[in-house]
Amino acid sequence: RKEVEQDPGPFNVPEGATVAFNCTYSNSASQSFFWYRQDCRKEPKLLMSVYSSGNEDGRFTAQLNRASQYISLLIRDSKLSDSATYLCVVNPYNQGGKLIFGQGTELSVKP
Amino acid sequence: DAGVTQSPTHLIKTRGQQVTLRCSPKSGHDTVSWYQQALGQGPQFIFQYYEEEERQRGNFPDRFSGHQFPNYSSELNVNALLLGDSALYLCASGSIPGQGNSPLHFGNGTRLTVT
């Protein structure tokens, strides 16, 4: 079993749609969770951290369920510029530097 | 404020050769981590350097080695290159290695092709 697993992609959605990405992780002792965004042939960039109480940043909402070892990202009112690969990321040992990345889910938002 | 810089951007090598990739961390950061990203996959952790020492290591063979200099910059060396080493190599910098919730900042990466 992979340490971090994500929904297979790609997701093709029209502008304005709501899209949800899911992710599960295997290490129950994991402490820190993130969503990164990666544009084609570019470096990953932090989209948002994920907190136990859930958190929102504009059109983006992240949720964490520690009991189920499940992380989600919801994007509302998708824009063309949201097209990218979304990476679910876990820091299993709460030590900076060693992040475990999921395979990534590609999102394509169409006009 | 310069971000994480990596060089070179692209590199083509032949099987069996050796390669050195370079990274300068973001200003104010003192830890450097290296990741390998194969096509269609998420980045895989290679190792992390802090205070000029390797602090954590992922599941990579000894052919992968590194170094951190007093100015916090870092090198990744790969010996005896294999075709499977072809990937995007990403450098990430951060501060305070014990704080797992500190975000990492990635460089643009070096795309290595082994023929």
Side-chain angles (χ1 to χ4, degrees):
Chain A
R1 182 185 173 187
K2 291 183 179 179
E3 292 184 80
V4 178
E5 294 198 67
Q6 293 186 239
D7 281 350
F11 282 35
N12 296 302
V13 303
E15 269 187 295
T18 295
V19 60
F21 300 135
N22 302 314
C23 169
T24 56
Y25 60 95
S26 61
N27 187 336
S28 60
S30 297
Q31 297 294 318
S32 304
F33 310 90
F34 310 92
W35 284 100
Y36 274 72
R37 169 194 169 130
Q38 187 171 27
D39 293 291
C40 186
R41 303 182 75 82
K42 297 287 184 68
E43 76 276 19
K45 292 185 178 178
L46 179 67
L47 179 66
M48 57 197 303
S49 300
V50 186
Y51 302 114
S52 296
S53 54
N55 48 297
E56 188 173 304
D57 183 3
R59 297 182 292 109
F60 299 83
T61 301
Q63 297 278 352
L64 168 64
N65 183 323
R66 287 187 183 273
S68 303
Q69 295 175 215
Y70 170 91
I71 307 162
S72 66
L73 175 68
L74 186 75
I75 305 176
R76 291 181 299 278
D77 188 24
S78 1
K79 311 291 185 190
L80 297 177
S81 57
D82 293 334
S83 297
T85 295
Y86 290 83
L87 296 158
C88 176
V89 185
V90 173
N91 187 321
Y93 308 110
N94 209 37
Q95 295 176 12
K98 183 172 184 177
L99 300 179
I100 307 298
F101 285 78
Q103 147 177 22
T105 303
E106 184 182 347
L107 172 65
S108 180
V109 181
K110 305 292 188 184
Chain B
D1 179 21
V4 181
T5 58
Q6 292 187 243
S7 64
T9 54
H10 295 85
L11 205 51
I12 300 175
K13 289 287 189 178
T14 304
R15 274 178 299 177
Q17 286 188 315
Q18 178 264 344
V19 68
T20 298
L21 310 182
R22 296 177 176 82
C23 171
S24 292
K26 180 180 168 65
S27 178
H29 286 177
D30 51 12
T31 71
V32 172
S33 302
W34 287 92
Y35 289 79
Q36 179 195 68
Q37 186 174 24
L39 197 62
Q41 301 296 318
Q44 300 289 313
F45 176 76
I46 302 175
F47 42 53
Q48 179 199 39
Y49 277 84
Y50 174 63
E51 293 185 332
E52 301 179 48
E53 290 187 14
E54 184 182 294
R55 297 292 177 161
Q56 298 184 76
R57 189 178 182 91
N59 189 25
F60 278 81
D62 292 344
R63 299 188 295 111
F64 290 76
S65 64
H67 190 78
Q68 185 179 34
F69 299 95
N71 66 353
Y72 309 120
S73 67
S74 177
E75 287 182 351
L76 164 66
N77 301 294
V78 187
N79 295 323
L81 285 167
L82 303 173
L83 295 179
D85 295 331
S86 296
L88 179 67
Y89 287 85
L90 294 159
C91 170
S93 73
S95 57
I96 314 176
Q99 289 193 357
N101 59 354
S102 299
L104 294 184
H105 296 258
F106 284 85
N108 293 337
T110 294
R111 191 163 298 279
L112 172 65
T113 302
V114 182
T115 62

